[in-house]
Amino acid sequence: MPEATFGFRDVDPADKPRLVRGVFDSVAGRYDLMNDLMSAGVHRLWKDATAARLNPQPGETILDIAGGTGDMARRFSKMARAAQQRRGGDDARVFVLDYNAEMIAAGRAKGGEPEMAWGVGDAQRLPLPDAFADAYVISFGIRNVTDVQAALVEARRVLKPGGRFLCLEFSHPATELLRKAYDAYSFKVIPAIGELVAKDRPSYQYLVESIRRFPDQKAFVGMIAKAGFARASYTNFTGGVAALHQGWAI
């Protein structure tokens, strides 16, 4: 019985990584443009708010999982360095890990910060020891994981006790009016723009569909708590079009 989702399709879990890899191989060079199209550019504000909530500090080890082009990691690095310049301390370490090598290559091509290191890794089986990091952040990536619960358990494994978990993801609008407007924009406009700008309608269609299949805010809070995180909570952005979920390793 199929147990994984690929857009609106149910697929064999063994097939999903290959299917998702095909999407991101196709869009890697236009990934930031893709997020601009899907959020009308507002994703930049959501990412700034996420970085501010994380509040990176000197000496911390921060994981940017599904970090792709590294735009979040650049934020974390600059913020930690600014804090270091104000009050001293060791350099932060920011590890960008993504399942897709094409995404990592696109990120490297854009350049990085001194605190950043890049690598290919699966969110369900990270190549890292237990209790390795002070913070784990995944932005617009967890819905593409085959087994989301396994990825959450893995996030808990690699965090130190007291470590912070943050997940920024497209989510479910809080009102029926906003939901209808968002559906109209998502299903009619985004794939059409993807076809026009990126010559790739199917990938953008998948990304829109994958948002609808992802658990809603409260259900995802329950999954975070089940993985062993304390004080799991969420903050809606733009009326729930996106949401920032948080938890603390215990």
Side-chain angles (χ1 to χ4, degrees), residues 3-4 18 21 33 36-37 51 97 130 135 141 144 148 150 176 205-206 209 214 226 235 244-245:
E3 297 177 354
R18 173 182 56 80
R21 187 184 305 115
L33 172 63
D36 279 330
L37 294 175
L97 291 171
D130 294 353
N144 299 309
V148 173
E176 185 65 24
Q205 184 72 32
Y206 156 72
E209 293 175 0
F214 193 71
K226 181 179 178 181
T235 301
L244 174 61
H245 283 76

Side-chain angles (χ1 to χ4, degrees), residues 31-36 39 41-48 50-51 56 64-79 94-98 103-104 106-108 110-113 116 118 137-141 168:
Y31 181 72
D32 294 322
L33 172 63
M34 176 184 73
N35 278 335
D36 279 330
S39 70
V42 182
H43 75 101
R44 300 174 187 273
L45 300 178
W46 299 337
K47 289 175 177 177
D48 287 344
T50 299
D64 182 17
I65 303 301
T69 58
D71 56 338
M72 292 300 287
R74 292 183 190 89
R75 286 173 170 84
F76 304 153
S77 298
K78 292 174 182 177
M79 292 175 71
V94 183
F95 292 87
V96 186
L97 291 171
D98 197 285
M103 291 290 289
I104 291 294
R108 284 181 179 273
K110 293 181 68 174
E113 299 294 330
M116 292 169 59
W118 305 81
V137 186
I138 184 167
S139 304
F140 304 119
L168 174 63

